[in-house]
Amino acid sequence: MFTYLIIKAMTQQRQGLTPQATSLMVLLCFAWALAQVGLKYTAYDMAATLQIALRSLGGAVLTWCFVRWRGQRLFTLAGAWKPGLLVGVLFAGEFFFVGEALRYTTASHVSIFLYTAPIFAALGLHFFSPDERLQPLQWLGVLLAFVGVAVSFLGRETTTTTLTSPNMLLGDGLALLGGLFWGATTVVVRGTCLKNAPATETLFYQLIGAFVILLSGAFLTGQTAIHWSWALVANLAFQTVVVSFASLLVWFWLLRKYLASRLGVLSFMTPLFGVMLGVILLNEHIERSFVMGAACVVLGIILVSGYDWFFKKGMAKPN
């Protein structure tokens, strides 16, 4: 089903979000949420940073094979290597922070703070893309999202989770930095010649950058121990094929076909899926302050990313 939707979406002409594209975004959100849970679950077998480095290498190989299978060139734009290098560094930074965050905090917290990315992307696009200027209601959404982050950070309760993870605040901060780097990546893709590049080219730059930088980071921080298990093998396969290859390929294709803001309105499902999966699969405790803060963050994302969507559905746009 996932492969069918990918092929169908990639053959459509540019248009408004269709039911197929929306369904594809739901699957992407679920896969990305499950990725954080999988990394956390197998972190004792292999550090998350090393897992992300290896999945990036596998994803890069699959991307190259995919391009060769279609009889196309991997590099198509002259000079694209410069922004390509930048998005590679930003992508690596995003997942370095994610890997480090998972060492100190829960997968649920990482899911919420990482997916503040649409807020950071909207702020960046406001200054670099005339077509995506923020409206007053969207600025309210930005404010609400950051209020939610503050509530989550400052309203921390003393629970079993925080007692066993005393550096949870550090982990949450690292996850937030991951969101910042992801948002910056979106701005670079949309604001440079990469917006005209095939999704495979942008993806390859990111995966190679992540592999080189994160593998180096894993060695420098001593996170190279491996304890092979069936759970680790299954997770690496899922992370490589689904997360690092299929999902990111489709994500960048969607960025080329639709406004980032209209895609962002659906991305709020990812942190919700992440919290749900963290509770169900990892038995993570959810604090009251975190629930309140997360609700503010998600509502802020909806206001920022869903502005055009709601008005397109028939709401009267204010002058």
Side-chain angles (χ1 to χ4, degrees):
M1 182 64 177
F2 187 79
T3 304
Y4 167 78
L5 287 173
I6 291 175
I7 296 174
K8 186 174 182 63
M10 291 183 73
T11 58
Q12 294 173 338
Q13 298 297 319
R14 183 180 179 90
Q15 56 184 311
L17 286 179
T18 63
Q20 291 82 6
T22 301
S23 299
L24 191 58
M25 274 300 299
V26 173
L27 289 176
L28 289 181
C29 291
F30 186 83
W32 291 336
L34 189 60
Q36 314 306 325
V37 174
L39 289 171
K40 183 72 173 181
Y41 183 77
T42 56
Y44 291 105
D45 295 324
M46 180 186 293
T49 301
L50 183 58
Q51 286 193 57
I52 298 171
L54 294 180
R55 83 181 188 190
S56 298
L57 175 61
V61 172
L62 288 174
T63 301
W64 181 81
C65 292
F66 178 72
V67 172
R68 295 286 295 178
W69 173 70
R70 298 186 70 186
Q72 299 174 340
R73 292 188 303 155
L74 182 59
F75 303 108
T76 60
L77 295 179
W81 67 269
K82 295 179 181 178
L85 178 62
L86 179 56
V87 297
V89 171
L90 290 172
F91 188 75
E94 171 196 341
F95 282 103
F96 175 78
F97 289 128
V98 168
E100 291 299 296
L102 288 169
R103 297 175 62 189
Y104 303 113
T105 191
T106 64
S108 300
H109 282 215
V110 170
S111 294
I112 290 294
F113 294 123
L114 175 62
Y115 286 92
T116 56
I119 301 294
F120 292 116
L123 285 171
L125 290 170
H126 173 79
F127 297 103
F128 294 105
S129 177
D131 294 333
E132 303 195 48
R133 300 284 188 187
L134 291 175
Q135 301 299 319
L137 187 61
Q138 292 176 300
W139 282 112
L140 176 62
V142 171
L143 177 61
L144 189 59
F146 284 110
V147 167
V149 171
V151 170
S152 299
F153 273 72
L154 301 178
R156 198 60 54 94
E157 304 166 7
T158 302
T159 65
T160 302
T161 302
T162 53
L163 288 175
T164 56
S165 303
N167 293 318
M168 180 175 284
L169 190 63
L170 172 61
D172 290 351
L174 291 171
L176 189 62
L177 284 175
L180 173 62
F181 272 60
W182 186 3
T185 302
T186 301
V187 173
V188 172
V189 171
R190 296 282 307 204
T192 66
C193 62
L194 288 177
K195 66 183 178 182
N196 298 317
T200 48
E201 184 170 353
T202 303
L203 178 58
F204 190 81
Y205 283 126
Q206 290 196 309
L207 292 174
I208 287 297
F211 168 66
V212 172
I213 295 175
L214 294 180
L215 184 64
S216 301
F219 274 96
L220 291 175
T221 56
Q223 301 182 65
T224 56
I226 302 175
H227 305 286
W228 290 106
S229 67
W230 285 113
L232 177 61
V233 172
N235 185 58
L236 283 175
F238 167 74
Q239 299 277 348
T240 300
V241 177
V242 176
V243 178
S244 282
F245 173 63
S247 74
L248 291 178
L249 182 64
V250 174
W251 169 247
F252 285 108
W253 176 83
L254 288 170
L255 278 178
R256 292 183 60 211
K257 295 295 182 180
Y258 307 102
L259 287 174
S261 58
R262 294 181 184 175
L263 295 173
V265 71
L266 299 178
S267 70
F268 79 93
M269 292 181 292
T270 304
L272 297 181
F273 283 144
V275 172
M276 178 185 70
L277 292 173
V279 172
I280 295 174
L281 300 179
L282 300 178
N283 197 31
E284 294 179 345
H285 174 78
I286 303 299
E287 302 166 331
R288 184 182 308 169
S289 60
F290 176 70
V291 172
M292 295 173 58
C296 290
V297 170
V298 172
L299 182 56
I301 292 173
I302 294 173
L303 289 176
V304 171
S305 300
Y307 184 83
D308 292 334
W309 172 280
F310 295 138
F311 287 123
K312 187 177 179 62
K313 292 297 183 181
M315 292 179 62
K317 188 171 181 178
N319 294 324

PDB file of all heavy atoms in Angstrom, residues 160-185:
ATOM      1  N   THR A 160       8.687   9.524  38.466  1.00  0.00           N
ATOM      2  CA  THR A 160       9.646   8.420  38.344  1.00  0.00           C
ATOM      3  C   THR A 160      10.518   8.584  37.114  1.00  0.00           C
ATOM      4  O   THR A 160      11.723   8.337  37.136  1.00  0.00           O
ATOM      5  CB  THR A 160       8.888   7.075  38.257  1.00  0.00           C
ATOM      6  OG1 THR A 160       8.075   6.925  39.419  1.00  0.00           O
ATOM      7  CG2 THR A 160       9.863   5.904  38.164  1.00  0.00           C
ATOM      8  N   THR A 161       9.902   9.061  36.033  1.00  0.00           N
ATOM      9  CA  THR A 161      10.648   9.240  34.778  1.00  0.00           C
ATOM     10  C   THR A 161      11.755  10.262  34.941  1.00  0.00           C
ATOM     11  O   THR A 161      12.895  10.047  34.534  1.00  0.00           O
ATOM     12  CB  THR A 161       9.705   9.668  33.648  1.00  0.00           C
ATOM     13  OG1 THR A 161       8.687   8.680  33.498  1.00  0.00           O
ATOM     14  CG2 THR A 161      10.460   9.820  32.345  1.00  0.00           C
ATOM     15  N   THR A 162      11.429  11.410  35.541  1.00  0.00           N
ATOM     16  CA  THR A 162      12.437  12.454  35.674  1.00  0.00           C
ATOM     17  C   THR A 162      13.494  12.086  36.698  1.00  0.00           C
ATOM     18  O   THR A 162      14.643  12.515  36.599  1.00  0.00           O
ATOM     19  CB  THR A 162      11.781  13.778  36.077  1.00  0.00           C
ATOM     20  OG1 THR A 162      10.980  13.583  37.248  1.00  0.00           O
ATOM     21  CG2 THR A 162      10.898  14.293  34.967  1.00  0.00           C
ATOM     22  N   LEU A 163      13.136  11.277  37.705  1.00  0.00           N
ATOM     23  CA  LEU A 163      14.114  10.847  38.694  1.00  0.00           C
ATOM     24  C   LEU A 163      15.121   9.883  38.077  1.00  0.00           C
ATOM     25  O   LEU A 163      16.314   9.912  38.415  1.00  0.00           O
ATOM     26  CB  LEU A 163      13.412  10.191  39.883  1.00  0.00           C
ATOM     27  CG  LEU A 163      12.635  11.140  40.811  1.00  0.00           C
ATOM     28  CD1 LEU A 163      11.881  10.345  41.866  1.00  0.00           C
ATOM     29  CD2 LEU A 163      13.576  12.143  41.480  1.00  0.00           C
ATOM     30  N   THR A 164      14.638   9.020  37.172  1.00  0.00           N
ATOM     31  CA  THR A 164      15.542   8.081  36.515  1.00  0.00           C
ATOM     32  C   THR A 164      16.255   8.716  35.325  1.00  0.00           C
ATOM     33  O   THR A 164      17.227   8.166  34.819  1.00  0.00           O
ATOM     34  CB  THR A 164      14.765   6.842  36.023  1.00  0.00           C
ATOM     35  OG1 THR A 164      13.699   7.257  35.173  1.00  0.00           O
ATOM     36  CG2 THR A 164      14.190   6.072  37.214  1.00  0.00           C
ATOM     37  N   SER A 165      15.761   9.857  34.870  1.00  0.00           N
ATOM     38  CA  SER A 165      16.385  10.585  33.761  1.00  0.00           C
ATOM     39  C   SER A 165      16.602  12.035  34.185  1.00  0.00           C
ATOM     40  O   SER A 165      15.887  12.941  33.748  1.00  0.00           O
ATOM     41  CB  SER A 165      15.496  10.524  32.519  1.00  0.00           C
ATOM     42  OG  SER A 165      15.228   9.194  32.149  1.00  0.00           O
ATOM     43  N   PRO A 166      17.587  12.281  35.049  1.00  0.00           N
ATOM     44  CA  PRO A 166      17.786  13.631  35.587  1.00  0.00           C
ATOM     45  C   PRO A 166      18.173  14.666  34.538  1.00  0.00           C
ATOM     46  O   PRO A 166      18.056  15.860  34.778  1.00  0.00           O
ATOM     47  CB  PRO A 166      18.910  13.433  36.609  1.00  0.00           C
ATOM     48  CG  PRO A 166      19.625  12.196  36.165  1.00  0.00           C
ATOM     49  CD  PRO A 166      18.577  11.323  35.572  1.00  0.00           C
ATOM     50  N   ASN A 167      18.656  14.209  33.388  1.00  0.00           N
ATOM     51  CA  ASN A 167      19.050  15.136  32.331  1.00  0.00           C
ATOM     52  C   ASN A 167      17.973  15.277  31.255  1.00  0.00           C
ATOM     53  O   ASN A 167      18.269  15.628  30.120  1.00  0.00           O
ATOM     54  CB  ASN A 167      20.363  14.666  31.687  1.00  0.00           C
ATOM     55  CG  ASN A 167      21.529  14.745  32.647  1.00  0.00           C
ATOM     56  OD1 ASN A 167      21.665  15.714  33.395  1.00  0.00           O
ATOM     57  ND2 ASN A 167      22.366  13.717  32.650  1.00  0.00           N
ATOM     58  N   MET A 168      16.721  15.015  31.629  1.00  0.00           N
ATOM     59  CA  MET A 168      15.630  15.082  30.659  1.00  0.00           C
ATOM     60  C   MET A 168      15.503  16.478  30.053  1.00  0.00           C
ATOM     61  O   MET A 168      15.213  16.627  28.865  1.00  0.00           O
ATOM     62  CB  MET A 168      14.305  14.671  31.304  1.00  0.00           C
ATOM     63  CG  MET A 168      13.118  14.711  30.363  1.00  0.00           C
ATOM     64  SD  MET A 168      11.593  14.092  31.111  1.00  0.00           S
ATOM     65  CE  MET A 168      11.904  12.329  31.058  1.00  0.00           C
ATOM     66  N   LEU A 169      15.722  17.513  30.852  1.00  0.00           N
ATOM     67  CA  LEU A 169      15.633  18.884  30.351  1.00  0.00           C
ATOM     68  C   LEU A 169      16.661  19.114  29.251  1.00  0.00           C
ATOM     69  O   LEU A 169      16.371  19.759  28.237  1.00  0.00           O
ATOM     70  CB  LEU A 169      15.837  19.881  31.490  1.00  0.00           C
ATOM     71  CG  LEU A 169      15.544  21.351  31.170  1.00  0.00           C
ATOM     72  CD1 LEU A 169      14.073  21.531  30.812  1.00  0.00           C
ATOM     73  CD2 LEU A 169      15.909  22.239  32.358  1.00  0.00           C
ATOM     74  N   LEU A 170      17.860  18.585  29.431  1.00  0.00           N
ATOM     75  CA  LEU A 170      18.896  18.678  28.403  1.00  0.00           C
ATOM     76  C   LEU A 170      18.451  17.961  27.135  1.00  0.00           C
ATOM     77  O   LEU A 170      18.602  18.485  26.023  1.00  0.00           O
ATOM     78  CB  LEU A 170      20.207  18.070  28.914  1.00  0.00           C
ATOM     79  CG  LEU A 170      21.333  17.909  27.883  1.00  0.00           C
ATOM     80  CD1 LEU A 170      21.748  19.258  27.321  1.00  0.00           C
ATOM     81  CD2 LEU A 170      22.530  17.177  28.513  1.00  0.00           C
ATOM     82  N   GLY A 171      17.884  16.777  27.293  1.00  0.00           N
ATOM     83  CA  GLY A 171      17.408  16.020  26.148  1.00  0.00           C
ATOM     84  C   GLY A 171      16.313  16.754  25.387  1.00  0.00           C
ATOM     85  O   GLY A 171      16.306  16.779  24.154  1.00  0.00           O
ATOM     86  N   ASP A 172      15.401  17.377  26.145  1.00  0.00           N
ATOM     87  CA  ASP A 172      14.334  18.140  25.497  1.00  0.00           C
ATOM     88  C   ASP A 172      14.905  19.312  24.704  1.00  0.00           C
ATOM     89  O   ASP A 172      14.450  19.621  23.603  1.00  0.00           O
ATOM     90  CB  ASP A 172      13.347  18.655  26.548  1.00  0.00           C
ATOM     91  CG  ASP A 172      12.527  17.533  27.176  1.00  0.00           C
ATOM     92  OD1 ASP A 172      12.592  16.393  26.687  1.00  0.00           O
ATOM     93  OD2 ASP A 172      11.826  17.810  28.171  1.00  0.00           O
ATOM     94  N   GLY A 173      15.913  19.977  25.281  1.00  0.00           N
ATOM     95  CA  GLY A 173      16.548  21.099  24.591  1.00  0.00           C
ATOM     96  C   GLY A 173      17.245  20.655  23.315  1.00  0.00           C
ATOM     97  O   GLY A 173      17.182  21.339  22.288  1.00  0.00           O
ATOM     98  N   LEU A 174      17.890  19.493  23.362  1.00  0.00           N
ATOM     99  CA  LEU A 174      18.555  18.970  22.173  1.00  0.00           C
ATOM    100  C   LEU A 174      17.533  18.624  21.082  1.00  0.00           C
ATOM    101  O   LEU A 174      17.775  18.867  19.887  1.00  0.00           O
ATOM    102  CB  LEU A 174      19.372  17.728  22.537  1.00  0.00           C
ATOM    103  CG  LEU A 174      20.606  17.980  23.416  1.00  0.00           C
ATOM    104  CD1 LEU A 174      21.198  16.661  23.898  1.00  0.00           C
ATOM    105  CD2 LEU A 174      21.649  18.790  22.661  1.00  0.00           C
ATOM    106  N   ALA A 175      16.395  18.060  21.489  1.00  0.00           N
ATOM    107  CA  ALA A 175      15.348  17.747  20.518  1.00  0.00           C
ATOM    108  C   ALA A 175      14.811  19.023  19.881  1.00  0.00           C
ATOM    109  O   ALA A 175      14.510  19.051  18.678  1.00  0.00           O
ATOM    110  CB  ALA A 175      14.216  16.977  21.195  1.00  0.00           C
ATOM    111  N   LEU A 176      14.700  20.085  20.666  1.00  0.00           N
ATOM    112  CA  LEU A 176      14.240  21.367  20.129  1.00  0.00           C
ATOM    113  C   LEU A 176      15.239  21.915  19.115  1.00  0.00           C
ATOM    114  O   LEU A 176      14.852  22.463  18.076  1.00  0.00           O
ATOM    115  CB  LEU A 176      14.040  22.361  21.271  1.00  0.00           C
ATOM    116  CG  LEU A 176      13.354  23.691  20.928  1.00  0.00           C
ATOM    117  CD1 LEU A 176      11.939  23.443  20.417  1.00  0.00           C
ATOM    118  CD2 LEU A 176      13.322  24.595  22.157  1.00  0.00           C
ATOM    119  N   LEU A 177      16.530  21.747  19.395  1.00  0.00           N
ATOM    120  CA  LEU A 177      17.554  22.154  18.427  1.00  0.00           C
ATOM    121  C   LEU A 177      17.434  21.337  17.145  1.00  0.00           C
ATOM    122  O   LEU A 177      17.667  21.851  16.040  1.00  0.00           O
ATOM    123  CB  LEU A 177      18.949  21.991  19.037  1.00  0.00           C
ATOM    124  CG  LEU A 177      19.378  23.051  20.048  1.00  0.00           C
ATOM    125  CD1 LEU A 177      20.729  22.679  20.664  1.00  0.00           C
ATOM    126  CD2 LEU A 177      19.468  24.424  19.379  1.00  0.00           C
ATOM    127  N   GLY A 178      17.093  20.052  17.290  1.00  0.00           N
ATOM    128  CA  GLY A 178      16.862  19.232  16.104  1.00  0.00           C
ATOM    129  C   GLY A 178      15.744  19.799  15.248  1.00  0.00           C
ATOM    130  O   GLY A 178      15.837  19.827  14.017  1.00  0.00           O
ATOM    131  N   GLY A 179      14.668  20.277  15.908  1.00  0.00           N
ATOM    132  CA  GLY A 179      13.577  20.912  15.185  1.00  0.00           C
ATOM    133  C   GLY A 179      14.013  22.174  14.467  1.00  0.00           C
ATOM    134  O   GLY A 179      13.598  22.447  13.331  1.00  0.00           O
ATOM    135  N   LEU A 180      14.865  22.950  15.122  1.00  0.00           N
ATOM    136  CA  LEU A 180      15.399  24.166  14.517  1.00  0.00           C
ATOM    137  C   LEU A 180      16.200  23.842  13.259  1.00  0.00           C
ATOM    138  O   LEU A 180      16.046  24.501  12.214  1.00  0.00           O
ATOM    139  CB  LEU A 180      16.278  24.910  15.527  1.00  0.00           C
ATOM    140  CG  LEU A 180      17.051  26.119  14.999  1.00  0.00           C
ATOM    141  CD1 LEU A 180      16.109  27.205  14.504  1.00  0.00           C
ATOM    142  CD2 LEU A 180      17.976  26.680  16.095  1.00  0.00           C
ATOM    143  N   PHE A 181      17.046  22.823  13.326  1.00  0.00           N
ATOM    144  CA  PHE A 181      17.862  22.445  12.170  1.00  0.00           C
ATOM    145  C   PHE A 181      17.000  21.893  11.042  1.00  0.00           C
ATOM    146  O   PHE A 181      17.280  22.135   9.868  1.00  0.00           O
ATOM    147  CB  PHE A 181      18.928  21.426  12.591  1.00  0.00           C
ATOM    148  CG  PHE A 181      20.202  22.058  13.069  1.00  0.00           C
ATOM    149  CD1 PHE A 181      20.212  22.903  14.162  1.00  0.00           C
ATOM    150  CD2 PHE A 181      21.402  21.816  12.419  1.00  0.00           C
ATOM    151  CE1 PHE A 181      21.380  23.503  14.603  1.00  0.00           C
ATOM    152  CE2 PHE A 181      22.586  22.398  12.840  1.00  0.00           C
ATOM    153  CZ  PHE A 181      22.577  23.251  13.935  1.00  0.00           C
ATOM    154  N   TRP A 182      15.939  21.148  11.393  1.00  0.00           N
ATOM    155  CA  TRP A 182      15.041  20.631  10.360  1.00  0.00           C
ATOM    156  C   TRP A 182      14.326  21.792   9.663  1.00  0.00           C
ATOM    157  O   TRP A 182      14.208  21.822   8.443  1.00  0.00           O
ATOM    158  CB  TRP A 182      14.033  19.670  10.984  1.00  0.00           C
ATOM    159  CG  TRP A 182      13.160  18.977   9.969  1.00  0.00           C
ATOM    160  CD1 TRP A 182      13.218  19.083   8.607  1.00  0.00           C
ATOM    161  CD2 TRP A 182      12.095  18.070  10.253  1.00  0.00           C
ATOM    162  NE1 TRP A 182      12.251  18.294   8.023  1.00  0.00           N
ATOM    163  CE2 TRP A 182      11.553  17.663   9.001  1.00  0.00           C
ATOM    164  CE3 TRP A 182      11.548  17.567  11.430  1.00  0.00           C
ATOM    165  CZ2 TRP A 182      10.478  16.770   8.920  1.00  0.00           C
ATOM    166  CZ3 TRP A 182      10.490  16.680  11.334  1.00  0.00           C
ATOM    167  CH2 TRP A 182       9.969  16.292  10.105  1.00  0.00           C
ATOM    168  N   GLY A 183      13.858  22.743  10.451  1.00  0.00           N
ATOM    169  CA  GLY A 183      13.210  23.909   9.853  1.00  0.00           C
ATOM    170  C   GLY A 183      14.150  24.665   8.937  1.00  0.00           C
ATOM    171  O   GLY A 183      13.764  25.109   7.847  1.00  0.00           O
ATOM    172  N   ALA A 184      15.413  24.814   9.359  1.00  0.00           N
ATOM    173  CA  ALA A 184      16.405  25.501   8.532  1.00  0.00           C
ATOM    174  C   ALA A 184      16.654  24.742   7.234  1.00  0.00           C
ATOM    175  O   ALA A 184      16.860  25.345   6.167  1.00  0.00           O
ATOM    176  CB  ALA A 184      17.712  25.662   9.306  1.00  0.00           C
ATOM    177  N   THR A 185      16.625  23.407   7.298  1.00  0.00           N
ATOM    178  CA  THR A 185      16.796  22.604   6.089  1.00  0.00           C
ATOM    179  C   THR A 185      15.693  22.884   5.077  1.00  0.00           C
ATOM    180  O   THR A 185      15.947  23.038   3.873  1.00  0.00           O
ATOM    181  CB  THR A 185      16.792  21.104   6.446  1.00  0.00           C
ATOM    182  OG1 THR A 185      17.835  20.831   7.384  1.00  0.00           O
ATOM    183  CG2 THR A 185      17.010  20.253   5.208  1.00  0.00           C
TER     184      THR A 185
END
